[in-house]
Amino acid sequence: MRDSRQQHGHLERMVPYTPYRQRSRNANYISPLLKYTMFFFNFVFWLVGGGLIGIGFYALVDQWQSKEGVRIDSVADVLFNVGLIIAIIGVLIFFVSFAGCIGALRENTGLLKLYSIALLIFFLAELLIAILCFVFPHKIEGFVSDYLTDNMIKKYREDADLQNLIDFIQKEFKCCGLSNRNFEDWSKNEYFNCTRRELNPSVERCGVPFSCCKNATDMSSGLINIMCGYGVQNPVVSEFTLITNDGCSNSH
């Protein structure tokens, strides 16, 4: 009996005593509400990222099977390939939200640090773009008007996804052309420019897309008149009343 007491006392002396305040400071406590809220929202974004990856790859496969194929010869080909951009955004959302989702669920500090760093990078990138737009508004506007507009207009017939995007923007915002030159932007496209008929035998010569028209849809039949913008750039025809005269960069 005495030996057992001596052993017990010896064990008590071997166990170090940690004050309560020190133990509370060293403990990593995460609120269950915060934990599962973070998990839920990141899980939703994880599903959204997976959906965007599927849509993007479906568009890329559709482009690959078409006659044109997927062309990535320059930076502009990447920027204006809608399917590729959707796939890239989907991959970023998928992996970042996965890190936040699993990091919150398993309380993994490594994944949570990765998640926090990714969000910080996204925030700083958005802040930098906002500052550049505020400090250099004319240069940014010139870049959008010249580089982006030229490439989007020129590639209008080369990429069906880009074509649908431009048509959606022009119909939704009731505008024609992407810069402040409005419908004249379409003279940069090889199908719509007003060069001599020998150089441009296209039936769309001196025209604009149907999405520029004010009333492209026949109310009685519900069909879209894709020829409503034909010849409107021709000064002899001058049917400017049929199309919207505001560029999309000036639309509100």
Side-chain angles (χ1 to χ4, degrees):
M1 187 69 178
R2 183 178 298 176
D3 295 339
S4 62
R5 289 179 180 177
Q6 291 178 352
Q7 291 177 0
H8 183 68
H10 180 68
L11 290 174
E12 285 183 347
R13 287 194 298 272
M14 291 179 60
V15 176
Y17 172 73
T18 303
Y20 174 77
R21 291 183 178 179
Q22 184 176 352
R23 280 183 288 174
S24 63
R25 284 197 300 267
N26 294 335
N28 293 325
Y29 174 76
I30 298 178
S31 169
L33 177 62
L34 177 62
K35 172 181 175 179
Y36 288 106
T37 301
M38 185 176 177
F39 167 77
F40 172 76
F41 283 105
N42 279 283
F43 180 73
V44 172
F45 278 102
W46 180 69
L47 294 178
V48 171
L52 291 177
I53 292 175
I55 294 172
F57 275 102
Y58 176 81
L60 290 174
V61 170
D62 187 61
Q63 291 178 20
W64 184 267
Q65 293 176 347
S66 64
K67 296 180 180 179
E68 292 82 6
V70 180
R71 296 191 305 175
I72 306 179
D73 299 327
S74 62
V75 178
D77 292 332
V78 176
L79 291 176
F80 302 112
N81 190 320
V82 179
L84 183 59
I85 291 297
I86 290 176
I88 292 174
I89 294 175
V91 169
L92 291 175
I93 295 176
F94 183 87
F95 284 104
V96 172
S97 58
F98 178 80
C101 183
I102 302 301
L105 184 64
R106 304 296 298 174
E107 300 181 13
N108 188 306
T109 55
L111 289 177
L112 289 176
K113 287 180 181 179
L114 177 63
Y115 176 74
S116 302
I117 292 173
L119 292 185
L120 179 63
I121 292 174
F122 294 156
F123 172 75
L124 292 178
E126 293 176 0
L127 183 63
L128 178 61
I129 293 174
I131 292 174
L132 290 176
C133 292
F134 180 78
V135 178
F136 307 106
H138 299 294
K139 291 185 178 180
I140 298 297
E141 183 180 358
F143 173 76
V144 172
S145 299
D146 297 335
Y147 183 78
L148 295 183
T149 300
D150 287 358
N151 282 280
M152 291 183 74
I153 293 293
K154 290 177 180 178
K155 295 179 181 296
Y156 176 77
R157 288 298 188 202
E158 298 177 9
D159 188 343
D161 297 322
L162 179 63
Q163 177 179 327
N164 292 332
L165 175 63
I166 294 176
D167 287 336
F168 171 79
I169 292 174
Q170 292 191 145
K171 288 187 294 183
E172 187 70 18
F173 294 98
K174 294 180 173 56
C175 54
C176 186
L178 303 180
S179 71
N180 53 11
R181 296 179 67 244
N182 50 67
F183 69 92
E184 293 181 358
D185 282 340
W186 290 106
S187 62
K188 301 174 183 178
N189 185 279
E190 60 180 347
Y191 295 96
F192 295 112
N193 66 57
C194 277
T195 55
R196 291 181 301 172
R197 191 168 294 278
E198 295 80 13
L199 299 176
N200 183 15
S202 172
V203 295
E204 296 177 312
R205 176 180 173 272
C206 285
V208 294
F210 74 92
S211 53
C212 286
C213 299
K214 294 179 180 178
N215 298 306
T217 304
D218 188 352
M219 299 301 294
S220 59
S221 62
L223 299 177
I224 297 177
N225 180 14
I226 61 174
M227 301 175 63
C228 62
Y230 283 17
V232 297
Q233 293 189 62
N234 192 339
V236 178
V237 179
S238 66
E239 296 180 350
F240 298 143
T241 57
L242 300 177
I243 63 173
T244 52
N245 294 322
D246 292 328
C248 294
S249 61
N250 298 328
S251 299
H252 297 88

